[in-house]
Amino acid sequence: MKKTRSKEKNPFIGALDQISKNQDMKSFKMVFDYFGPRLKSFLMSSGAEESVAEEVIQETMTIIWTKADFYNPKLASPSTWIYTIARNKKIDILRKSRKAVLENIDTAILPPVEPKLEEDIEHDQRFEILNKYLDDLPKEQLDLLKMNFIEEKSHGEIAEITKIPLGTIKSRIRLAMEKIRDRIEKDNKSNDPNIKNLGIN
Amino acid sequence: MLDIMAQPSVTPAKLLFQQCVAESSTEGNTFNFIRNEISGYLLNKAEPRALRKNVWKKTLASIKSSNRQKRHVITDPFYNNLPVVLQDYLSNKKVKWKNYSDVKVAMLTPSAEGDKLELIHVMPGGSIPQHTHEGKENFLVLHGSYSDEYGEYHEGSVQTRDEDHDHKPVGHQTTGCIGLAYTDGKIKFSGKFSKILNFFTS
C-alpha cells in the first residue's frame, strides 16, 4: 500500500492529544499561549469588546480542556477546531439573554457524508489543497475572505472599505470556495479505487 | 446552497441551518469544510493581541472546577433521522409543535433574534397555503420531497425564497416532507385567507 508522503505534523495535533490523554498542563499552556492572543485579535475585529473577548477565550480554553478527546485531526486542523469552538461560544455570549443555547454542539466538526475507507483518508489531501490555495492567494483576496468570515462584515461594508463593487465581492468569495471545492473533488476522483483500477487518472 | 454557506455564522439559527446543510449532502459537507478551514487558516495568521494577566488564572480556576461531559442519546425515531447536529442541539430542549391542518411547525431557536429556524413537517400530499416572504428564507429538505409552481425538491437540496417568490408548496403524496427553514424576516401570506393566516403567524 502506498505510504502517505511525510508532512510536517502540526505541533498542536500532538498537544491536543496530550491534553486529552494525559491532561498535560504544559501542552495546554502552549495552546493557550498561541491561540489565546490570536483569538483575541479575531474576536475584537468582529466587534467584541476586550472583556467580552477575554471571557470567550477563557470559556473556549475550558472547553478545549474538557473536550479535547472530541478533537479528530482527520476532520479539522487544530486552528479550525479551536476557531469553531470560539465562534460558537461568541454567538452564545453576545446574545442578549446569554443563555448557552449552543453548548451541546460546541465541538461538532462533521465527518464526510460518505464514509471513507481508511486508505482514502490516508490520501486525503483536503488540508494541503486548501492551505496551498490560500497561501497562493494575493493579499487583497485573502483580506476579502477575512472581512467576510472573521470580521463578519456585510458585503455592503466590504464594498465601502475596499471600493470594490458589491457584485464583485460576492462573486470573488463564491469563486474562491468553488475553486477549492473543484480541486478537492478532482483529488477525490484521482484517489477513487474504482477509477484507479480502470487505469484512468 | 453556496450563498448561505459562504456567510459567517452570526446567530444560533443560522449556524444550525448551515450545519444541517453540511450534514445533508456531500456538496454541503465540502463547503462547510472549506469555510471552516478558511477561518482556521486566518486564525493562524492573525496578529496576536496580548491577553491581560488574569485570563490564564481564571482559565486555570475554571478547568479545575469543570467535568468531562458526555453526549445525550435520544431514541425517538423521528429525532434519530434528523442531522446529528440537530439531535445534539435539541437533546436538552423541549420542542413545541404548532399543528395546522396539513403541516406541523416547530420553532427551534428563541424568537427575539431577528432571524429564526423552524422544523417543518408537511403531511403526505399536504400543502402550505399560498404565501410569499418578507426577507429571505432558505429551506433545506431533510426527508421526502415537495413541489411548488417552480419545481420539485428532494433531500439534501436547498431553496432560497424572498418577496419575489409567491408560492404554494405541496408535500410528496407518499412521503410528505420534513425540512428546515431558516428565515431572515417574516412570512407574508398572500392567498385567499391571508388576513387570518398573517394574524396567526405575526
Side-chain angles (χ1 to χ4, degrees), chain B residues 87-101:
Chain B
Q87 292 183 47
D88 283 347
Y89 171 79
L90 293 173
S91 62
N92 64 346
K93 301 176 180 72
K94 253 194 183 149
V95 176
K96 277 200 190 135
W97 289 97
K98 265 192 184 157
N99 294 305
Y100 302 99
S101 58

Side-chain angles (χ1 to χ4, degrees), chain A residues 4-129:
Chain A
T4 47
R5 60 161 191 229
S6 66
K7 2 180 191 199
E8 290 157 21
K9 228 186 176 187
N10 185 314
F12 295 107
I13 295 178
L16 289 171
D17 192 48
Q18 284 302 313
I19 294 169
S20 138
K21 295 203 169 95
N22 302 322
Q23 281 95 71
D24 180 40
M25 192 51 75
K26 207 165 146 212
S27 299
F28 184 65
K29 186 85 188 5
M30 182 176 120
V31 169
F32 181 93
D33 285 341
Y34 184 84
F35 285 106
R38 285 165 174 79
L39 282 173
K40 183 167 180 176
S41 155
F42 129 61
L43 291 162
M44 290 185 72
S45 74
S46 63
E49 282 175 14
E50 186 173 28
S51 47
V52 172
E54 288 182 342
E55 187 186 349
V56 172
I57 291 165
Q58 186 198 311
E59 300 215 13
T60 299
M61 291 295 156
T62 305
I63 292 169
I64 291 171
W65 177 264
T66 57
K67 295 189 177 180
D69 25 326
F70 282 60
Y71 174 63
N72 181 345
K74 295 193 169 129
L75 301 180
S77 38
S79 56
T80 299
W81 188 67
I82 291 170
Y83 156 79
T84 52
I85 294 172
R87 176 203 60 197
N88 291 10
K89 203 21 92 173
K90 180 184 91 136
I91 294 174
D92 265 343
I93 285 182
L94 285 181
R95 293 169 56 239
K96 278 201 196 123
S97 71
R98 297 180 126 251
K99 195 160 165 235
V101 155
L102 298 175
E103 70 185 17
N104 290 351
I105 64 167
D106 47 23
T107 54
I109 292 273
L110 305 168
V113 171
E114 279 133 33
K116 282 187 162 190
L117 296 171
E118 192 59 38
E119 46 177 57
D120 287 344
I121 295 178
E122 294 273 309
H123 289 117
D124 189 348
Q125 305 288 317
R126 293 186 302 167
F127 297 106
E128 278 87 356
I129 291 171

Side-chain angles (χ1 to χ4, degrees), chain A residues 129 133 174-184:
Chain A
I129 291 171
Y133 180 84
R174 290 182 60 127
L175 208 66
M177 289 180 71
E178 279 171 349
K179 278 198 172 156
I180 299 172
R181 177 208 52 193
D182 291 344
R183 288 182 195 185
I184 289 175

